[in-house]
Amino acid sequence: MRFANNPKIEEKIKVVYEEYERYYTEKTKGSKDLYERALRLFPAGVTYSIRFFHPYPLYIVKAMSTRIWDVDGNEYIDFWMGHGVHLLGHLHRVVVDAVKEVLERGTHLGFEHPYVVEYAELLTKIVPGLESIRFTNSGTEANMYAVRLARAYTGRKYIVKIEGGWHGAVDSLLYMVRRFNGTPESAGLLEDYIKYTIVVPFNDVEILEKILKEYEVAAVILEPVMGAAGCIEPDKGYLKEVRRLVDEKSSLLIFDEVITGFRLAPGGAQEYYGVKADIVIYGKALGGGVGSVGAIGGRSDIMELLNHIKKKPRELVFHGGTFAANPVVTSAGYAMVKYLAEHKELYEKSNNIWSWFRRKVEEKCSEYSIDCWATGEGSLTGIHFTKKKPRNARQAEEYRWSTLIERALHLYSRVHGLLYISETKPHFLPSLIHSREEVEKLLEVFENFLSIISAN
């Protein structure tokens, strides 16, 4: 008997949750005290909503390699890695050494510097189709500029995004991420902001083709592997079909590689899948994990719209940012990317480990007769407690059969020394240096959780 929609399993999950909430509060008294102080200072007591989990978040004070420690001295295997920025783990020597060297010469110079030139030269060598690049202060900014560039280059208004796709807080893209009712994702956003945004499901070529025939589309923007939707990978050939359809209609293809960039391969998803985008977006890991950073790049004829020397004011696409390409993040990013490009064996090892993990997760789910599935590509991995295996974001939500199991698994994992985000959709953004033993520990905890909730 499967457990989906079974009232008895829901009651069992509730009992497990309440039991482990007691264990959690016993071992994290320091975090509880800090959270009570934080509630008086920040809305919801946190600096970013996804960092909250019930009954209160942990407060981390130390990190090293694949481990982190909270204020109470509890050690955890970190499967979140600073929101995915630490591809080489916390405080990797090549990144730390690069930061130390540049800090002795200044933190923020406010002028052009050689570090960014060296980094850009490296990126254009290893990333397919990256002919020109500009740095930003975040992935959100990069997405904003990419949309602006696409509209300016094509002279068209409409942008097609993927349902459930997360592109930061850009007004025109903060739409149909988790709310699938056709309204903006946030209060304070006018309907006009999404007037020219069209949403299509991931892994559905037919609907995309229909939309491209009906509208004059400037660009299709997508995550090659969907991140916030739970690390859902593209169907075989999907990205190549998107590329073909976009070319037929003279639209542009934008890859948001804030998460997949440098993770799937040194050249990101473009290298991994063999599909080139016209514009590529970077963030997170681009700065080696030491600061906020982003970038837009791609074809030089598109990027030339940012050239204020050659373009008239009406033709120019504005771009700027006080801390854009500051020497600390560019030096750290350069060191990390250079190391990754020189140690490609890390990808093969990591990808094999996580591919094994996803297979074992589904085997264990079947063994315990629980409806759950693993999705992902490379090290990107998600677990879905759904009636069917989801191929897009809407299915990942609508196929869910429990309202509590993800939160219970998150709490159970915390108590057993594993940490990730979020408690509503288990997905992992690990480093490329996590060991087989650490991933086996994750599987062991997951299996024990299944065993407990399925016990009579």
Side-chain angles (χ1 to χ4, degrees):
M1 178 182 178
R2 308 300 285 187
F3 282 96
N5 301 320
N6 186 336
K8 290 184 178 180
I9 190 70
E10 280 288 288
E11 185 60 33
K12 182 68 174 180
I13 293 169
K14 183 179 179 181
V15 170
V16 169
Y17 181 85
E18 291 173 350
E19 177 184 359
Y20 280 87
E21 186 176 54
R22 290 193 293 271
Y23 295 150
Y24 180 73
T25 55
E26 288 172 4
K27 66 184 295 186
T28 60
K29 289 182 171 60
S31 285
K32 183 179 181 181
D33 290 343
L34 278 167
Y35 182 62
E36 289 174 353
R37 290 164 59 187
L39 277 171
R40 296 192 291 269
L41 304 167
F42 314 118
V46 290
T47 55
Y48 184 6
S49 59
I50 67 171
R51 292 175 185 159
F52 173 82
F53 36 78
H54 294 83
Y56 50 82
L58 290 169
Y59 285 77
I60 305 301
V61 294
K62 179 184 174 182
M64 178 66 71
S65 187
T66 59
R67 306 299 173 104
I68 53 179
W69 289 262
D70 67 18
V71 292
D72 294 285
N74 299 305
E75 179 180 343
Y76 305 85
I77 303 175
D78 183 7
F79 290 105
W80 191 243
M81 302 307 293
H83 299 257
V85 305
H86 298 295
L87 293 178
L88 292 174
H90 295 281
L91 295 180
H92 193 279
R93 59 175 179 81
V94 299
V95 176
V96 173
D97 289 348
V99 172
K100 285 181 178 179
E101 182 179 348
V102 75
L103 281 177
E104 293 178 354
R105 303 175 184 178
T107 55
H108 178 51
L109 303 176
F111 294 93
E112 294 300 319
H113 52 80
Y115 314 111
V116 71
V117 177
E118 293 171 356
Y119 194 12
E121 287 176 339
L122 174 65
L123 292 172
T124 54
K125 287 179 182 177
I126 68 171
V127 178
L130 189 67
E131 300 170 352
S132 180
I133 188 170
R134 278 283 186 95
F135 286 84
T136 66
N137 290 307
S138 68
T140 289
E141 283 187 19
N143 273 279
M144 176 187 72
Y145 286 120
V147 169
R148 190 178 296 174
L149 268 173
R151 284 176 168 151
Y153 184 82
T154 62
R156 301 174 181 178
K157 298 178 180 179
Y158 288 99
I159 299 292
V160 173
K161 66 156 289 189
I162 301 298
E163 194 173 62
W166 172 248
H167 305 287
V170 181
D171 289 349
S172 62
L173 301 178
L174 196 58
Y175 176 47
M176 299 283 275
V177 180
R178 293 182 179 86
R179 300 179 188 174
F180 302 130
N181 59 4
T183 62
E185 201 75 17
S186 169
L189 291 182
L190 303 178
E191 295 284 344
D192 286 351
Y193 292 159
I194 57 173
K195 182 178 180 180
Y196 297 106
T197 303
I198 303 171
V199 182
V200 300
F202 194 56
N203 282 325
D204 194 321
V205 175
E206 291 183 6
I207 293 180
L208 175 60
E209 184 174 20
K210 181 176 181 292
I211 292 298
L212 289 172
K213 286 180 179 179
E214 291 182 7
Y215 296 88
E216 290 292 313
V217 173
V220 174
I221 183 170
L222 56 79
E223 301 169 276
V225 177
M226 299 198 74
C231 297
I232 299 176
E233 74 278 12
D235 290 340
K236 186 176 181 179
Y238 170 72
L239 295 177
K240 290 184 178 179
E241 276 296 287
V242 172
R243 174 77 268 181
R244 180 185 66 81
L245 292 172
V246 166
D247 286 341
E248 284 183 358
K249 298 301 178 181
S250 299
S251 301
L252 300 182
L253 177 59
I254 304 173
F255 274 2
D256 181 342
E257 293 224 46
V258 169
I259 290 178
T260 56
F262 315 116
R263 175 178 291 279
L264 297 180
Q270 293 185 98
E271 177 184 345
Y272 189 85
Y273 292 110
V275 178
K276 288 184 181 180
D278 300 301
I279 301 173
V280 62
I281 295 163
Y282 287 106
K284 294 185 185 293
L286 184 69
V290 304
S292 183
V293 65
I296 44 171
R299 284 169 34 193
S300 58
D301 60 323
I302 299 172
M303 294 296 291
E304 271 297 291
L305 288 172
L306 301 172
N307 189 337
H308 73 282
I309 297 175
K310 293 183 178 179
K311 294 296 179 182
K312 299 176 182 178
R314 288 184 176 274
E315 300 172 342
L316 180 69
V317 173
F318 174 78
H319 162 262
T322 299
F323 285 96
N326 75 77
V328 177
V329 297
T330 52
S331 296
Y334 174 86
M336 183 201 71
V337 173
K338 184 174 184 291
Y339 186 91
L340 290 173
E342 293 172 348
H343 295 81
K344 292 186 177 182
E345 69 276 4
L346 288 172
Y347 290 96
E348 182 178 1
K349 181 180 178 181
S350 178
N351 291 354
N352 286 339
I353 289 173
W354 287 98
S355 178
W356 168 84
F357 175 78
R358 289 189 290 271
R359 290 197 304 271
K360 297 300 289 186
V361 163
E362 295 199 348
E363 287 178 13
K364 297 302 179 182
C365 292
S366 178
E367 181 180 333
Y368 288 95
S369 299
I370 294 177
D371 289 314
C372 61
W373 318 88
T375 59
E377 193 81 88
S379 59
L380 292 169
T381 297
I383 296 176
H384 302 265
F385 291 93
T386 52
K387 291 176 286 186
K388 298 179 183 178
K389 190 168 188 173
R391 304 309 306 138
N392 59 52
R394 185 183 290 265
Q395 291 177 355
E397 292 295 329
E398 293 184 349
Y399 290 174
R400 291 175 67 187
W401 53 266
S402 172
T403 58
L404 185 61
I405 190 167
E406 291 91 351
R407 187 188 297 182
L409 174 62
H410 193 273
L411 180 61
Y412 183 85
S413 298
R414 270 179 273 155
V415 171
H416 288 87
L418 309 177
L419 202 54
Y420 62 89
I421 291 178
S422 71
E423 65 174 356
T424 59
K425 193 177 274 97
H427 60 292
F428 313 107
L429 304 181
S431 72
L432 298 177
I433 67 166
H434 274 82
S435 67
R436 175 72 174 244
E437 291 73 25
E438 289 172 321
V439 181
E440 287 175 347
K441 174 66 174 178
L442 177 62
L443 180 67
E444 177 187 352
V445 170
F446 179 73
E447 181 180 7
N448 289 342
F449 175 76
L450 297 182
S451 175
I452 291 173
I453 65 171
S454 62
N456 294 325

